[in-house]
Amino acid sequence: MKTKPGIPGLRTALTMFSPAGRRAKLSTLIYHRVLPEPDPLRTGDPDADTFRWQMALLARHFNVLPLPEAARRLRDGTLPARAACVTFDDGYADNFTIALPILQEAGIPATCFVATAYLDGGRMFNDTLIELAARLPDGRHDFSSIGLGERALAGTDDRRALVSALIGKFKYFDPAERAATVEALAASFGVCLPNDLMMSADQLRALHAAGMEIGGHTDTHPILALLDPERAREEILAGRKRLEALIAAPVRVFAYPNGRPGKDYRAEHAALVSQCGFEAAVSTVPTTATTASSAFELPRFTPWDRTPGRFGLRLLHALVTSR
């Protein structure tokens, strides 16, 4: 695919709102998957062609840094103008098979935050539900056992609505109970689900060997705010310990599962991450970081846009509106 052209005037505007030094701002993008082709049930994930022009535009207009370096330079007041980071959450296999070659092509470093329980054939609860909704045949299906009644499936809109209802139903369950209940639900419909959505240990090691940062994301991806302090510590440290054993290198940065302060994690969890020896951590507050930002609550936002103009404007808007 031919690289999309740059956006006239964008670089100048970005520099105005994200200069170097003490007034610098850090734009950190969140991705989860990069799909081989567009998927109507995963509209928040770009396909490979979209991701390719997004990275080309980012490389042309921003100075993209590894997250640990960016966090350190933000604290020290030495960030370059138009500083940015690219991050991926959860540990999907296509981060290695699809995203990595595109990142290398664009010369962009990235950080992959990995929930270790799902390596080597695991499947996150939301993916089980999405795959279930995608694979059920058209017709009426009974979800009364989980309080959702009968659902008619006759097209993409019906399947999207089912995905939304299912994820909303289970999102804040205890992780162990959630996994068992969701898997039992899928099995009750006799649907065969994929077991290769997440990275293998070999892929994780290869991703690290290719120069990408590996970050902690707990072991089972629980909502930390729902756990007692000791269990939260265990989740954070268990994920880090396994990652460090796999890549034989320090794991320096962390991402809070779901990442909304006050709802998904609290100030005590940010303090806990610091006590556990991480250098920085990221949330999902949709703005850019400034020198006033805590190194353990760096904001990030998702680039939903599917045209270069809108993508560029979103990046600029995040800078203009941040404080």
Side-chain angles (χ1 to χ4, degrees):
M1 176 183 175
K2 184 179 287 187
T3 301
K4 299 276 184 170
I7 300 173
L10 179 60
R11 187 183 181 92
T12 300
L14 292 169
T15 303
M16 181 183 303
F17 291 100
S18 182
R22 291 287 174 186
R23 293 175 52 234
K25 296 180 180 180
L26 176 62
S27 301
T28 303
L29 305 187
I30 311 170
Y31 292 93
H32 289 82
R33 300 190 61 183
V34 177
L35 307 170
E37 303 291 341
D39 184 335
L41 296 187
R42 297 181 184 272
T43 55
D45 295 312
D47 63 273
D49 284 345
T50 298
F51 186 70
R52 181 173 288 107
W53 66 250
Q54 287 182 344
M55 292 303 99
L57 188 150
L58 200 68
R60 183 174 293 109
H61 294 292
F62 282 81
N63 290 301
V64 187
L65 304 172
L67 181 60
E69 177 186 346
R72 183 174 62 253
R73 294 181 67 177
L74 178 68
R75 179 197 65 207
D76 295 342
T78 62
L79 270 182
R82 306 177 313 282
C85 294
V86 174
T87 66
F88 294 84
D89 281 8
D90 300 336
Y92 288 97
D94 51 44
N95 295 180
F96 174 71
T97 59
I98 298 177
L100 177 61
I102 295 171
L103 291 165
Q104 292 175 319
E105 176 185 303
I108 287 180
T111 297
C112 293
F113 294 106
V114 179
T116 49
Y118 305 101
L119 293 169
D120 293 312
R123 190 172 52 246
M124 300 189 78
F125 90 96
N126 53 298
D127 291 307
T128 295
L129 297 175
I130 292 170
E131 297 295 336
L132 171 62
R135 285 166 166 71
L136 285 172
D138 284 354
R140 300 192 67 83
H141 300 279
D142 189 2
F143 289 89
S144 299
S145 65
I146 58 169
L148 294 182
E150 280 201 350
R151 311 285 296 209
L153 297 181
T156 298
D157 287 346
D158 292 339
R159 294 176 193 278
R160 285 176 179 163
L162 177 59
V163 168
S164 179
L166 289 170
I167 291 177
K169 179 73 176 180
F170 292 109
K171 190 167 192 175
Y172 288 93
F173 273 40
D174 173 89
E177 179 188 359
R178 182 177 63 193
T181 304
V182 165
E183 290 298 325
L185 177 68
S188 73
F189 287 100
V191 173
C192 183
L193 302 179
N195 61 6
D196 60 353
L197 296 179
M198 312 308 286
M199 277 190 281
S200 67
D202 286 343
Q203 288 174 324
L204 177 69
R205 283 188 285 262
L207 191 69
H208 175 257
M212 300 300 156
E213 188 80 17
I214 304 301
H217 200 37
T218 72
D219 182 35
T220 66
H221 201 274
I223 304 302
L224 293 174
L226 299 180
L227 305 184
D228 65 65
E230 187 54 36
R231 188 172 169 203
R233 178 186 290 273
E234 290 171 358
E235 276 282 348
I236 294 166
L237 289 176
R240 185 184 193 188
K241 182 178 180 181
R242 185 174 182 202
L243 289 174
E244 290 184 336
L246 286 170
I247 66 174
V251 171
R252 301 180 288 173
V253 289
F254 180 82
Y256 303 99
N258 281 32
R260 291 172 295 178
K263 184 171 180 65
D264 301 320
Y265 76 94
R266 296 187 294 268
E268 57 261 38
H269 299 107
L272 180 58
V273 170
S274 175
Q275 293 163 14
C276 288
F278 290 93
E279 297 175 13
V282 293
S283 71
T284 56
V285 175
T287 186
T288 59
T290 69
T291 53
S293 302
S294 166
F296 292 93
E297 294 190 79
L298 295 173
R300 300 183 294 166
F301 58 96
T302 300
W304 302 108
D305 312 278
R306 293 298 181 263
T307 67
R310 288 184 178 276
F311 182 76
L313 286 174
R314 181 178 297 276
L315 298 174
L316 178 59
H317 181 265
L319 292 169
V320 171
T321 57
S322 64
R323 296 287 185 268

